[in-house]
Amino acid sequence: MATISRMTSEERRAAILQAAVRLFAERGFRGTTTRALAEAVGVTEPVLYEHFKSKHELYEAIIEAKSRDGLARATAVLKPLAQAGDDRAFFTRLAEHVLASHGRESGDYARLLLYAALEDPELGALFHERQREGRDLLARYIERRIQEGAFRPLNPALAARAFLGMVVHLGLLELLYRDDFLQARRAEMVAEVVEIFLNGISQDRRGAK
């Protein structure tokens, strides 16, 4: 990375966001000061305020950036599977994507969200709203497969939330409790969750292809 003095405005903004994710995850929203944020990036507080007027604005920027990036990566992987109607591969890759976002390597963002939801409901609601597009895309896929006769008639939005609920729960167990059982058997767990879900919603109740 370039030194702070040689960073462009865009690079410095990105460095601030990266440092903020780590500090918010470690100390929470209230426990992270603008002074600590500035020191972590190697800038002064006035420079920090040139990019973000407040901690709240900085937090919003993190959610916007992470939500866009996560949705873009998921869409790139899932779109061809959705077009092919490959239900098992679609839900498997989706589950892998969700679990990866809660993994030890990328868990800072998930911890940040948990802190914020407890400390400031407005911030928690902001993340929930930004995830709406992803939930709606999943619900539309399920609705399409219902119309095509692959899935039995049900509420697509509820089905989408049910699947995400199962996977996110597993991710939180690993993130919060370091559940080594889940970590060692992630592929097996994903396969079982997908099997249970598809058996529950498939038209013939024997799972999808």
Side-chain angles (χ1 to χ4, degrees), residues 59-75 97 109 113 123 125-135 137:
Y59 187 90
E60 289 181 350
I62 292 171
I63 289 181
E64 292 287 353
K66 291 287 188 178
S67 295
R68 285 197 307 269
D69 179 64
L71 183 61
R73 287 186 291 107
T75 300
H97 175 78
Y109 182 52
L113 296 173
L123 293 175
L126 176 63
F127 170 74
H128 186 69
E129 177 62 29
R130 291 299 180 271
Q131 296 300 299
R132 181 187 300 274
E133 186 176 357
R135 294 192 301 271
L137 286 172

Side-chain angles (χ1 to χ4, degrees), residues 30-163:
R30 295 177 185 171
T32 301
T33 64
T34 53
R35 179 179 179 179
L37 287 167
E39 290 178 349
V41 186
V43 299
T44 63
E45 286 185 80
V47 171
L48 183 70
Y49 286 124
E50 288 177 8
H51 296 275
F52 304 99
K53 296 178 182 178
S54 66
K55 284 199 302 179
H56 199 286
E57 183 176 296
L58 174 56
Y59 187 90
E60 289 181 350
I62 292 171
I63 289 181
E64 292 287 353
K66 291 287 188 178
S67 295
R68 285 197 307 269
D69 179 64
L71 183 61
R73 287 186 291 107
T75 300
V77 171
L78 296 174
K79 187 175 180 179
L81 301 176
Q83 291 173 336
D86 190 340
D87 300 318
R88 191 171 302 281
F90 176 90
F91 284 100
T92 297
R93 294 303 298 273
L94 175 57
E96 292 171 346
H97 175 78
V98 173
L99 288 178
S101 70
H102 290 77
R104 298 183 185 183
E105 298 78 13
S106 55
D108 279 353
Y109 182 52
R111 283 190 291 271
L112 175 154
L113 296 173
L114 292 173
Y115 264 125
L118 293 172
E119 293 179 327
D120 190 330
E122 183 180 344
L123 293 175
L126 176 63
F127 170 74
H128 186 69
E129 177 62 29
R130 291 299 180 271
Q131 296 300 299
R132 181 187 300 274
E133 186 176 357
R135 294 192 301 271
D136 288 348
L137 286 172
L138 178 56
R140 286 198 293 273
Y141 175 78
I142 293 173
E143 183 176 21
R144 194 198 90 198
R145 296 296 284 154
I146 291 172
Q147 294 172 351
E148 293 172 348
F151 298 158
R152 62 185 178 83
L154 43 71
N155 185 316
L158 289 179
R161 287 171 180 262
F163 180 76

Side-chain angles (χ1 to χ4, degrees), residues 138-205:
L138 178 56
R140 286 198 293 273
Y141 175 78
I142 293 173
E143 183 176 21
R144 194 198 90 198
R145 296 296 284 154
I146 291 172
Q147 294 172 351
E148 293 172 348
F151 298 158
R152 62 185 178 83
L154 43 71
N155 185 316
L158 289 179
R161 287 171 180 262
F163 180 76
L164 293 173
M166 286 193 293
V167 180
V168 169
H169 174 71
L170 294 176
L172 289 175
L173 287 178
E174 183 175 333
L175 175 68
L176 297 176
Y177 305 114
R178 303 299 191 188
D179 194 326
D180 292 332
F181 177 87
L182 295 176
Q183 186 182 38
R185 298 165 176 79
R186 179 177 292 187
E188 178 184 351
M189 192 68 69
V190 166
E192 289 294 339
V193 167
V194 171
E195 182 72 19
I196 291 168
F197 182 75
L198 290 180
N199 277 332
I201 70 172
S202 294
Q203 188 68 266
D204 63 6
R205 303 299 182 91

